[in-house]
């Protein structure tokens, strides 16, 4: 039975403060190993986001009139839109009788 990404998993923190992202989440979000992720605090939570590939950025650095922080906000917006589309697709594919559970 596949686990939901909403079901929390316990991850141990090493003495160096290192944690391992579970394989199922790395695969789902395309986090390569070795690789890099963004990590930041938002609404009293620690958020981990994959660093987008160069293809996903698709010219995001091409403008010279960007302010510091604009690129990361653009990346976050791309990711939000991607998650929204994935959720819409999941909702469409979910069997109608799943709402009755």
């Amino acid at each position: 039975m596949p686990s939901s990404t909403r079901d929390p998993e316990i991850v141990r923190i090493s003495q160096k403060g290192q944690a391992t992202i579970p394989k199922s989440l790395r695969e789902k979000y395309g986090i390569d190993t070795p690789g890099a992720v963004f990590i930041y605090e938002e609404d009293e939570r620690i958020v981990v986001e994959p660093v987008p590939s160069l293809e996903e950025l698709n010219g995001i650095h091409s403008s010279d009139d960007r302010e510091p922080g604009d690129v990361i906000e653009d990346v976050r917006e791309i990711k939000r839109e991607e998650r929204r589309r994935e959720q819409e697709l999941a909702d469409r594919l979910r069997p109608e009788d799943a709402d009755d559970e």
Side-chain angles (χ1 to χ4, degrees):
M1 177 168 105
S3 66
S4 166
T5 56
R6 294 180 187 243
D7 295 335
E9 290 189 45
I10 294 176
V11 176
R12 297 194 190 287
I13 307 296
S14 75
Q15 289 179 335
K16 293 182 179 182
Q18 298 168 323
T20 301
I21 300 169
K23 183 179 180 183
S24 60
L25 293 174
R26 290 193 317 265
E27 289 174 346
K28 179 175 182 174
Y29 292 100
I31 299 171
D32 294 326
T33 56
V37 294
F38 293 116
I39 187 164
Y40 56 93
E41 182 181 0
E42 183 177 277
D43 298 326
E44 303 293 320
R45 292 176 172 255
I46 297 171
V47 178
V48 178
E49 288 184 6
V51 174
S53 68
L54 293 175
E55 292 81 26
E56 290 175 301
L57 292 173
N58 195 20
I60 203 167
H61 289 290
S62 63
S63 175
D64 291 333
D65 63 344
R66 293 191 178 274
E67 294 293 322
D70 284 352
V71 171
I72 190 69
E73 187 52 41
D74 288 348
V75 169
R76 287 181 182 152
E77 182 57 36
I78 290 168
K79 289 296 185 183
R80 282 191 291 268
E81 180 62 22
E82 185 177 282
R83 283 192 298 271
R84 185 191 63 76
R85 284 193 310 264
E86 287 174 356
Q87 186 60 50
E88 285 178 356
L89 178 60
D91 290 344
R92 285 196 312 263
L93 296 175
R94 187 173 292 119
E96 292 180 25
D97 61 335
D99 295 333
D100 298 336
E101 293 177 10

